[in-house]
Amino acid sequence: MQHDTRPNIVKMDLYGLDNGMIDIESLSSLLTDEEIRIVGQVQSMNRTLSKYLLQHNGGHNLVKIEDVKGYEGCWIDLRAGRVFDANGKERRFYHVGNGGRYLADSRGKYLHRIVAYQYTRVTDYELYKRAMVTPRKFEVHHKDPSMRLIPEGNGITNVVLLEKGLHKRYTEITRKLRDLVECDGVEIPLLKDRFYQSVLSK
């Protein structure tokens, strides 16, 4: 099973209520055109990512980590969310945060942030520089939050660096959809793709 990369098919989470693939055109009666555009912008696999995966062994070619204190000489597999030191030994990440919601190293460096920043550095250096200068204006988003406790769920097919305002708007939209489901009984069909998790790192 391959991840569907058609522009209107995206992986979506209804703010913790449920998650799966969805045709965002099916939301046209529930969301404004702007809201649908935001969902597509945040959740879609864009051309830059598709091209990167195609040209870098599915995203598994190791990238040298830069600008991260304590990671000098380390390399990262951006697709699998795996970090290796100069000797090839894999770095360990642990469940941290409220209820162990994220993966971080023993010094508190979050895996999803390392992945998102290093990927942005090699694909959009101008955005990377802005995020490094004003980090409080940016956040890292998990497209499928249910996968953030495994390394692959912190890889580039599931995490993306977003401006804080855009991230906030997307969260508001998913809350709106969750409220429609829980309070108004609206049915939003989500295609389950659990099998995708087992092939994500291949």
Side-chain angles (χ1 to χ4, degrees):
M1 178 178 176
Q2 296 294 319
H3 182 49
D4 198 327
T5 57
R6 288 176 294 167
N8 61 325
I9 302 293
V10 299
K11 181 181 285 290
M12 191 166 193
D13 172 64
L14 301 181
Y15 202 66
L17 176 66
D18 207 353
N19 65 76
M21 303 299 289
I22 192 167
D23 182 343
I24 58 176
E25 295 302 319
S26 69
L27 302 177
S28 59
S29 63
L30 305 175
L31 301 178
T32 66
D33 289 345
E34 181 197 6
E35 289 171 331
I36 288 176
R37 179 188 62 77
I38 290 171
V39 170
Q41 180 181 351
V42 171
Q43 295 296 103
S44 294
M45 182 183 295
N46 60 36
R47 290 182 181 178
T48 301
L49 178 55
S50 296
K51 183 178 178 182
Y52 184 85
L53 295 175
L54 184 64
Q55 295 179 346
H56 296 85
N57 188 29
H60 292 296
N61 287 350
L62 296 181
V63 172
K64 188 173 183 181
I65 296 177
E66 296 184 12
D67 304 324
V68 181
K69 188 175 180 181
Y71 281 77
E72 297 79 7
C74 290
W75 297 79
I76 187 166
D77 177 332
L78 293 170
R79 177 72 180 269
R82 299 174 66 194
V83 176
F84 304 90
D85 65 21
N87 297 318
K89 183 179 179 182
E90 186 170 356
R91 290 263 183 123
R92 294 196 61 186
F93 289 83
Y94 308 89
H95 296 171
V96 299
N98 296 334
R101 295 171 54 206
Y102 298 99
L103 290 178
D105 66 12
S106 58
R107 298 179 182 178
K109 295 248 184 331
Y110 289 95
L111 179 59
H112 61 285
R113 292 185 62 82
I114 295 172
V115 169
Y117 271 77
Q118 294 305 305
Y119 169 72
T120 304
R121 179 178 61 78
V122 297
T123 59
D124 189 344
Y125 192 68
E126 290 302 314
L127 176 60
Y128 173 74
K129 285 196 299 186
R130 283 196 289 126
M132 290 296 286
V133 172
T134 56
R136 294 189 179 206
K137 293 184 178 180
F138 291 85
E139 295 177 339
V140 176
H141 168 66
H142 284 86
K143 295 180 181 182
D144 181 349
S146 71
M147 295 179 65
R148 63 188 169 201
L149 292 182
I150 59 175
E152 293 86 352
N154 291 275
I156 53 177
T157 57
N158 198 44
V159 299
V160 59
L161 181 66
L162 298 176
E163 291 191 22
K164 196 171 184 178
L166 177 60
H167 197 195
K168 180 180 178 182
R169 284 289 291 122
Y170 175 77
T171 300
E172 289 170 350
I173 292 166
T174 57
R175 281 177 176 162
K176 173 182 175 178
L177 290 173
R178 176 174 179 158
D179 288 345
L180 287 171
V181 172
E182 289 191 318
C183 301
D184 298 335
V186 173
E187 289 189 20
I188 300 176
L190 292 172
L191 174 65
K192 299 305 170 186
D193 63 330
R194 294 296 180 191
F195 180 71
Y196 174 60
Q197 295 183 13
S198 68
V199 299
L200 187 62
S201 61
K202 294 181 181 178

PDB file of all heavy atoms in Angstrom, residues 117-130:
ATOM      1  N   TYR A 117      13.575  20.747  11.540  1.00  0.00           N
ATOM      2  CA  TYR A 117      14.529  21.823  11.287  1.00  0.00           C
ATOM      3  C   TYR A 117      15.607  21.395  10.295  1.00  0.00           C
ATOM      4  O   TYR A 117      15.981  22.161   9.402  1.00  0.00           O
ATOM      5  CB  TYR A 117      15.158  22.304  12.588  1.00  0.00           C
ATOM      6  CG  TYR A 117      14.372  23.412  13.263  1.00  0.00           C
ATOM      7  CD1 TYR A 117      13.213  23.139  13.981  1.00  0.00           C
ATOM      8  CD2 TYR A 117      14.774  24.738  13.169  1.00  0.00           C
ATOM      9  CE1 TYR A 117      12.477  24.143  14.585  1.00  0.00           C
ATOM     10  CE2 TYR A 117      14.059  25.762  13.775  1.00  0.00           C
ATOM     11  CZ  TYR A 117      12.901  25.459  14.480  1.00  0.00           C
ATOM     12  OH  TYR A 117      12.182  26.470  15.067  1.00  0.00           O
ATOM     13  N   GLN A 118      16.108  20.164  10.433  1.00  0.00           N
ATOM     14  CA  GLN A 118      17.160  19.719   9.516  1.00  0.00           C
ATOM     15  C   GLN A 118      16.616  19.533   8.098  1.00  0.00           C
ATOM     16  O   GLN A 118      17.288  19.855   7.116  1.00  0.00           O
ATOM     17  CB  GLN A 118      17.812  18.426  10.020  1.00  0.00           C
ATOM     18  CG  GLN A 118      18.572  18.592  11.324  1.00  0.00           C
ATOM     19  CD  GLN A 118      19.631  19.688  11.265  1.00  0.00           C
ATOM     20  OE1 GLN A 118      20.499  19.676  10.392  1.00  0.00           O
ATOM     21  NE2 GLN A 118      19.571  20.647  12.195  1.00  0.00           N
ATOM     22  N   TYR A 119      15.385  19.045   7.986  1.00  0.00           N
ATOM     23  CA  TYR A 119      14.772  18.914   6.667  1.00  0.00           C
ATOM     24  C   TYR A 119      14.562  20.299   6.048  1.00  0.00           C
ATOM     25  O   TYR A 119      14.854  20.513   4.866  1.00  0.00           O
ATOM     26  CB  TYR A 119      13.429  18.186   6.775  1.00  0.00           C
ATOM     27  CG  TYR A 119      12.622  18.245   5.509  1.00  0.00           C
ATOM     28  CD1 TYR A 119      12.998  17.502   4.386  1.00  0.00           C
ATOM     29  CD2 TYR A 119      11.499  19.058   5.413  1.00  0.00           C
ATOM     30  CE1 TYR A 119      12.267  17.567   3.207  1.00  0.00           C
ATOM     31  CE2 TYR A 119      10.768  19.128   4.244  1.00  0.00           C
ATOM     32  CZ  TYR A 119      11.158  18.381   3.144  1.00  0.00           C
ATOM     33  OH  TYR A 119      10.432  18.466   1.975  1.00  0.00           O
ATOM     34  N   THR A 120      14.088  21.240   6.830  1.00  0.00           N
ATOM     35  CA  THR A 120      13.874  22.596   6.321  1.00  0.00           C
ATOM     36  C   THR A 120      15.193  23.224   5.915  1.00  0.00           C
ATOM     37  O   THR A 120      15.266  23.931   4.904  1.00  0.00           O
ATOM     38  CB  THR A 120      13.159  23.465   7.381  1.00  0.00           C
ATOM     39  OG1 THR A 120      11.938  22.821   7.772  1.00  0.00           O
ATOM     40  CG2 THR A 120      12.852  24.849   6.834  1.00  0.00           C
ATOM     41  N   ARG A 121      16.248  22.937   6.664  1.00  0.00           N
ATOM     42  CA  ARG A 121      17.565  23.496   6.327  1.00  0.00           C
ATOM     43  C   ARG A 121      18.023  23.062   4.940  1.00  0.00           C
ATOM     44  O   ARG A 121      18.589  23.864   4.190  1.00  0.00           O
ATOM     45  CB  ARG A 121      18.598  23.058   7.381  1.00  0.00           C
ATOM     46  CG  ARG A 121      20.014  23.558   7.116  1.00  0.00           C
ATOM     47  CD  ARG A 121      20.967  23.141   8.214  1.00  0.00           C
ATOM     48  NE  ARG A 121      21.068  21.709   8.355  1.00  0.00           N
ATOM     49  CZ  ARG A 121      21.787  20.919   7.559  1.00  0.00           C
ATOM     50  NH1 ARG A 121      22.480  21.443   6.552  1.00  0.00           N
ATOM     51  NH2 ARG A 121      21.822  19.620   7.762  1.00  0.00           N
ATOM     52  N   VAL A 122      17.759  21.809   4.575  1.00  0.00           N
ATOM     53  CA  VAL A 122      18.242  21.319   3.281  1.00  0.00           C
ATOM     54  C   VAL A 122      17.256  21.557   2.136  1.00  0.00           C
ATOM     55  O   VAL A 122      17.614  21.392   0.967  1.00  0.00           O
ATOM     56  CB  VAL A 122      18.614  19.818   3.352  1.00  0.00           C
ATOM     57  CG1 VAL A 122      19.750  19.597   4.329  1.00  0.00           C
ATOM     58  CG2 VAL A 122      17.412  18.950   3.688  1.00  0.00           C
ATOM     59  N   THR A 123      16.026  21.970   2.443  1.00  0.00           N
ATOM     60  CA  THR A 123      15.039  22.179   1.377  1.00  0.00           C
ATOM     61  C   THR A 123      14.565  23.622   1.239  1.00  0.00           C
ATOM     62  O   THR A 123      14.110  24.023   0.176  1.00  0.00           O
ATOM     63  CB  THR A 123      13.798  21.283   1.586  1.00  0.00           C
ATOM     64  OG1 THR A 123      13.210  21.587   2.859  1.00  0.00           O
ATOM     65  CG2 THR A 123      14.175  19.812   1.511  1.00  0.00           C
ATOM     66  N   ASP A 124      14.645  24.399   2.320  1.00  0.00           N
ATOM     67  CA  ASP A 124      14.182  25.795   2.290  1.00  0.00           C
ATOM     68  C   ASP A 124      15.016  26.596   3.284  1.00  0.00           C
ATOM     69  O   ASP A 124      14.573  26.894   4.401  1.00  0.00           O
ATOM     70  CB  ASP A 124      12.689  25.869   2.635  1.00  0.00           C
ATOM     71  CG  ASP A 124      12.096  27.255   2.411  1.00  0.00           C
ATOM     72  OD1 ASP A 124      12.869  28.239   2.289  1.00  0.00           O
ATOM     73  OD2 ASP A 124      10.857  27.366   2.360  1.00  0.00           O
ATOM     74  N   TYR A 125      16.229  26.956   2.855  1.00  0.00           N
ATOM     75  CA  TYR A 125      17.179  27.562   3.785  1.00  0.00           C
ATOM     76  C   TYR A 125      16.718  28.922   4.310  1.00  0.00           C
ATOM     77  O   TYR A 125      16.993  29.271   5.458  1.00  0.00           O
ATOM     78  CB  TYR A 125      18.556  27.694   3.121  1.00  0.00           C
ATOM     79  CG  TYR A 125      19.649  28.033   4.106  1.00  0.00           C
ATOM     80  CD1 TYR A 125      20.048  27.113   5.072  1.00  0.00           C
ATOM     81  CD2 TYR A 125      20.268  29.278   4.081  1.00  0.00           C
ATOM     82  CE1 TYR A 125      21.036  27.419   5.992  1.00  0.00           C
ATOM     83  CE2 TYR A 125      21.261  29.593   5.000  1.00  0.00           C
ATOM     84  CZ  TYR A 125      21.641  28.667   5.952  1.00  0.00           C
ATOM     85  OH  TYR A 125      22.621  28.977   6.857  1.00  0.00           O
ATOM     86  N   GLU A 126      15.988  29.668   3.496  1.00  0.00           N
ATOM     87  CA  GLU A 126      15.494  30.972   3.952  1.00  0.00           C
ATOM     88  C   GLU A 126      14.510  30.804   5.108  1.00  0.00           C
ATOM     89  O   GLU A 126      14.562  31.544   6.098  1.00  0.00           O
ATOM     90  CB  GLU A 126      14.841  31.735   2.788  1.00  0.00           C
ATOM     91  CG  GLU A 126      15.820  32.216   1.735  1.00  0.00           C
ATOM     92  CD  GLU A 126      16.899  33.115   2.314  1.00  0.00           C
ATOM     93  OE1 GLU A 126      16.558  34.023   3.099  1.00  0.00           O
ATOM     94  OE2 GLU A 126      18.091  32.893   2.011  1.00  0.00           O
ATOM     95  N   LEU A 127      13.597  29.850   4.983  1.00  0.00           N
ATOM     96  CA  LEU A 127      12.653  29.568   6.068  1.00  0.00           C
ATOM     97  C   LEU A 127      13.399  29.078   7.296  1.00  0.00           C
ATOM     98  O   LEU A 127      13.086  29.477   8.430  1.00  0.00           O
ATOM     99  CB  LEU A 127      11.627  28.524   5.614  1.00  0.00           C
ATOM    100  CG  LEU A 127      10.619  28.060   6.674  1.00  0.00           C
ATOM    101  CD1 LEU A 127       9.786  29.226   7.181  1.00  0.00           C
ATOM    102  CD2 LEU A 127       9.720  26.957   6.104  1.00  0.00           C
ATOM    103  N   TYR A 128      14.391  28.241   7.091  1.00  0.00           N
ATOM    104  CA  TYR A 128      15.196  27.725   8.194  1.00  0.00           C
ATOM    105  C   TYR A 128      15.864  28.863   8.959  1.00  0.00           C
ATOM    106  O   TYR A 128      15.826  28.896  10.196  1.00  0.00           O
ATOM    107  CB  TYR A 128      16.245  26.763   7.635  1.00  0.00           C
ATOM    108  CG  TYR A 128      17.260  26.287   8.649  1.00  0.00           C
ATOM    109  CD1 TYR A 128      16.921  25.361   9.624  1.00  0.00           C
ATOM    110  CD2 TYR A 128      18.576  26.764   8.615  1.00  0.00           C
ATOM    111  CE1 TYR A 128      17.858  24.913  10.546  1.00  0.00           C
ATOM    112  CE2 TYR A 128      19.513  26.324   9.529  1.00  0.00           C
ATOM    113  CZ  TYR A 128      19.150  25.395  10.495  1.00  0.00           C
ATOM    114  OH  TYR A 128      20.081  24.963  11.416  1.00  0.00           O
ATOM    115  N   LYS A 129      16.451  29.821   8.234  1.00  0.00           N
ATOM    116  CA  LYS A 129      17.118  30.953   8.890  1.00  0.00           C
ATOM    117  C   LYS A 129      16.122  31.774   9.706  1.00  0.00           C
ATOM    118  O   LYS A 129      16.426  32.184  10.826  1.00  0.00           O
ATOM    119  CB  LYS A 129      17.800  31.845   7.843  1.00  0.00           C
ATOM    120  CG  LYS A 129      19.074  31.250   7.275  1.00  0.00           C
ATOM    121  CD  LYS A 129      19.921  32.288   6.557  1.00  0.00           C
ATOM    122  CE  LYS A 129      19.176  32.887   5.374  1.00  0.00           C
ATOM    123  NZ  LYS A 129      20.029  33.801   4.570  1.00  0.00           N
ATOM    124  N   ARG A 130      14.933  32.002   9.144  1.00  0.00           N
ATOM    125  CA  ARG A 130      13.916  32.765   9.882  1.00  0.00           C
ATOM    126  C   ARG A 130      13.506  32.028  11.154  1.00  0.00           C
ATOM    127  O   ARG A 130      13.323  32.642  12.215  1.00  0.00           O
ATOM    128  CB  ARG A 130      12.682  33.013   9.010  1.00  0.00           C
ATOM    129  CG  ARG A 130      12.880  34.109   7.981  1.00  0.00           C
ATOM    130  CD  ARG A 130      11.573  34.594   7.408  1.00  0.00           C
ATOM    131  NE  ARG A 130      10.972  33.596   6.531  1.00  0.00           N
ATOM    132  CZ  ARG A 130       9.743  33.135   6.652  1.00  0.00           C
ATOM    133  NH1 ARG A 130       8.962  33.548   7.634  1.00  0.00           N
ATOM    134  NH2 ARG A 130       9.260  32.249   5.801  1.00  0.00           N
TER     135      ARG A 130
END
